[in-house]
Amino acid sequence: RYDDIFKGTKIHELNSVPHNFYHVIKFDFSKVKVTTCKEILTSFNSCVFEAIDDFLKRYPKVNFKREHYENLGPGTVIDGFLTQYDLDYRCREDKVYVMIDGYDAFLEPFLGKELDSEFKNALSHIIAFYGSLKSLTCETLVDKLIDTQALNTSASAIADNLSLAYGGYSFSYKGNRTVINPSFCLKYLQIVRDTNSLPDPKEVISKDLGNTTTFLRTLLNDFPKAIMQHFLERHEKNDEFLLNRIDECFNIKYLERFEHTHMFSLLYYLGYLTHAPSNSYTSSHLVYPNEIIKGILEPVFKSI
């Protein structure tokens, strides 16, 4: 169904060799209604099931039992669906290509407004959905973007280096799946392709992060030094920042007090911290995702 799905798009015009290689699922969140918080979640769920139903019509081999997921959140639904897909196609090389329209545009009316508990609940389910998608992302673009033979290397060698430099991000408290920062990777591979060389991944990105330390110091400038020192001392002992929770939704403009959970949660959402493997539902174990981020954030912490 390559022509049916991609007709009228750039992908169809390019007509690349790998077409028909992926199983495609398309989520259209431009249909999400935003009248009330309850309607947002109900409408979002409806779009998730609509995409899955369309997928199952085209690929009936996937034995996904929709009736078992009717009353569950979208994160649980997509995790169950993709897990079932892996089970039904585990002996083959097939991969799921995820297309998303209207990623989070439906949330624009709420930007800058004070958020009530009902909205936070709806948003936490939507965050869980995207977290499940990200944790299952494993496709590398190396072979498709650069000529590894001309560079006398292999895609796996480059991918391993990128994983060490830009990887380590986890969106689950279990920390059992990690992903690579896609923006960093794409920028690095573009430089490799343009220069036909293999620069140090850390050096490439470090040059672009000159303003980051200034931003972080501004962000953390008013945070109590004694509390920061407490967390740094605990980090030196356990190599992690331990929180009771990650605040899933808050607006700094409306906070009466900027607590430590707000600060570390914000750093988590900005990509400066990530989950370490843990079996605890009741606490969050946060770490630096990689050496690049540690090199940026640690000196800022210590200078506060």
Side-chain angles (χ1 to χ4, degrees):
R1 298 192 60 221
Y2 176 78
D3 292 330
D4 293 339
I5 296 172
F6 293 104
K7 189 175 182 180
T9 68
K10 278 290 184 182
I11 292 175
H12 193 265
E13 291 177 19
L14 290 171
N15 195 31
S16 60
V17 175
H19 75 255
N20 285 334
F21 183 75
Y22 296 94
H23 291 160
V24 178
I25 184 168
K26 181 175 181 180
F27 298 97
D28 184 3
F29 296 127
S30 65
K31 300 177 182 178
V32 174
K33 299 177 182 178
V34 294
T35 307
T36 66
C37 294
K38 184 177 180 180
E39 190 175 42
I40 288 178
L41 186 55
T42 301
S43 185
F44 189 90
N45 267 339
S46 177
C47 292
V48 171
F49 278 117
E50 182 179 311
I52 291 175
D53 289 343
D54 174 67
F55 184 94
L56 295 177
K57 288 177 183 177
R58 291 180 283 113
Y59 312 112
K61 181 180 176 180
V62 181
N63 188 30
F64 178 73
K65 303 294 185 183
R66 172 177 172 152
E67 62 272 16
H68 295 168
Y69 293 86
E70 290 284 357
N71 298 315
L72 301 178
T76 304
V77 173
I78 193 62
D79 199 35
F81 166 74
L82 291 172
T83 298
Q84 188 61 51
Y85 177 87
D86 284 344
L87 289 173
D88 292 332
Y89 282 92
R90 59 189 169 187
C91 296
R92 298 176 56 182
E93 293 297 322
D94 300 273
K95 299 178 178 67
V96 178
Y97 190 99
V98 179
M99 300 178 67
I100 299 178
D101 188 16
Y103 190 88
D104 58 1
F106 54 88
L107 295 174
E108 288 182 5
F110 298 92
L111 294 178
K113 296 182 179 179
E114 189 168 6
L115 309 176
D116 58 25
S117 58
E118 188 178 9
F119 181 86
K120 291 179 181 180
N121 178 60
L123 189 58
S124 68
H125 286 289
I126 294 170
I127 291 172
F129 170 83
Y130 284 113
S132 293
L133 278 185
K134 290 174 181 177
S135 69
L136 289 164
T137 301
C138 60
E139 175 68 9
T140 176
L141 297 175
V142 176
D143 272 331
K144 298 178 182 178
L145 291 180
I146 62 177
D147 185 351
T148 53
Q149 289 186 344
L151 293 167
N152 193 29
T153 186
S154 66
S156 60
I158 294 176
D160 287 344
N161 285 336
L162 293 181
S163 181
L164 289 173
Y166 308 150
Y169 295 93
S170 174
F171 297 90
S172 165
Y173 76 91
K174 295 179 181 178
N176 56 341
R177 291 190 179 113
T178 59
V179 296
I180 302 173
N181 185 311
S183 299
F184 286 1
C185 283
L186 288 172
K187 179 174 181 58
Y188 177 80
L189 293 175
Q190 182 67 52
I191 291 174
V192 171
R193 188 167 62 175
D194 291 345
T195 64
N196 199 34
S197 64
L198 290 171
D200 184 340
K202 296 179 183 178
E203 293 297 324
V204 167
I205 299 303
S206 296
K207 292 177 182 178
D208 287 342
L209 297 177
N211 296 325
T212 301
T213 53
T214 302
F215 162 73
L216 287 171
R217 284 194 174 92
T218 302
L219 177 68
L220 305 176
N221 189 50
D222 296 328
F223 193 77
K225 293 180 174 58
I227 296 178
M228 176 59 72
Q229 186 62 36
H230 168 72
F231 275 94
L232 287 176
E233 289 174 358
R234 291 179 63 181
H235 181 271
E236 288 181 3
K237 292 180 180 178
N238 304 312
D239 206 30
E240 64 183 19
F241 298 101
L242 179 62
L243 304 181
N244 290 332
R245 68 183 187 280
I246 290 180
D247 288 319
E248 293 187 336
C249 189
F250 60 91
N251 190 321
I252 293 178
K253 287 171 57 179
Y254 296 99
L255 292 176
E256 294 183 3
R257 184 177 177 182
F258 191 41
E259 302 284 356
H260 70 276
T261 54
H262 298 134
M263 184 192 74
F264 284 104
S265 297
L266 186 59
L267 292 172
Y268 166 73
Y269 290 123
L270 290 173
Y272 294 106
L273 296 173
T274 194
H275 285 288
S278 168
N279 293 319
S280 174
Y281 287 94
T282 58
S283 60
S284 297
H285 301 250
L286 300 182
V287 294
Y288 302 115
N290 50 58
E291 289 300 315
I292 286 182
I293 299 301
K294 180 179 180 180
I296 294 170
L297 191 54
E298 194 170 56
V300 176
F301 276 158
K302 293 181 177 179
S303 68
I304 293 176

